[in-house]
Amino acid sequence: MKKNDYLDSLNDLLGSIPEPERYALLRELDSRIAYQLQKGRSEDDILHELGDPGSQAHRILEERHTRLQRELGRTGPSFGSRPDYVRMAGVGILLLFLNMIALPVIASLGAALLSLGASAAAAVLSPALSLLGWFWDSSFYPASLFAHIAVAGVGILLLLLFLPLAKLGFRCIVAYGRWNLRMLRGRE
């Protein structure tokens, strides 16, 4: 496991901590790792010494819980152990109505993107149609071949447009899904 993978995994496991505090913890750990690397230690040794991200996250959450207990002067049951079901139900209802509008829009944009990809693929493969026509009719028309080659060039341009748009669309869908989960869990 590399440093960035370790920090990403730890970031996911510490999802219950508010972002500013979580990012501060991750920056501190990153600077400690960088300091050890400057001292000549290998990245694998440093990460092995830290332990797996799960145990590290558990330790950080326990320390944070203890600190919060001390700051609030609370004793008794675990602080923050019960989810707020009323808030979750309210946010869930709001997300349901939001998604009733957003998901059809996302689906239609996805369908348009898919049709762009299918058009690009069909245009790129169009010279094969000219060859099939040649084998089928036993007649060859150079103008038809040149037209299909021109369409293939347009298809390549469409493909160059489709690929970045598909990546962007996928990232946006994943980000929207994560945002829905964060809202449902109560993290901003």
Side-chain angles (χ1 to χ4, degrees), residues 17-139:
I17 297 177
E19 282 186 8
E21 185 179 347
R22 184 172 68 234
Y23 291 155
L25 285 168
L26 292 172
R27 277 193 304 271
E28 179 185 337
L29 186 60
D30 186 30
S31 65
R32 278 197 249 155
I33 293 171
Y35 177 72
Q36 292 294 327
L37 287 171
Q38 286 177 349
K39 287 175 61 177
R41 295 188 61 199
S42 74
E43 189 173 284
D44 292 333
D45 290 342
I46 297 167
L47 296 179
H48 181 71
E49 185 178 298
L50 288 173
D52 68 295
S55 62
Q56 182 76 352
H58 183 70
R59 184 188 62 75
I60 290 172
L61 290 172
E62 281 183 352
E63 288 176 3
R64 182 176 185 272
H65 172 72
T66 305
R67 189 185 79 240
L68 287 174
Q69 289 287 352
R70 260 187 283 124
E71 288 174 2
L72 295 174
R74 288 183 68 142
T75 57
S78 175
F79 174 70
S81 63
R82 280 188 17 204
D84 184 6
Y85 293 113
V86 174
R87 189 204 60 76
M88 285 177 65
V91 169
I93 290 169
L94 290 173
L95 286 175
L96 173 73
F97 287 115
L98 173 69
N99 287 331
M100 285 174 61
I101 295 169
L103 292 181
V105 171
I106 291 171
S108 64
L109 290 173
L113 187 63
L114 223 65
S115 68
L116 178 68
S119 300
V124 168
L125 297 175
S126 69
L129 292 176
S130 181
L131 294 175
L132 283 175
W134 183 29
F135 288 125
W136 189 266
D137 306 1
S138 297
S139 60

Side-chain angles (χ1 to χ4, degrees), residues 152-170:
V154 171
I156 291 171
L157 292 175
L158 284 176
L159 195 61
L160 291 174
L161 176 67
F162 168 74
L163 292 175
L165 286 176
K167 288 179 185 177
L168 177 67
F170 181 75

Side-chain angles (χ1 to χ4, degrees), residues 4 152 159 182:
N4 290 337
L159 195 61
R182 277 197 318 266

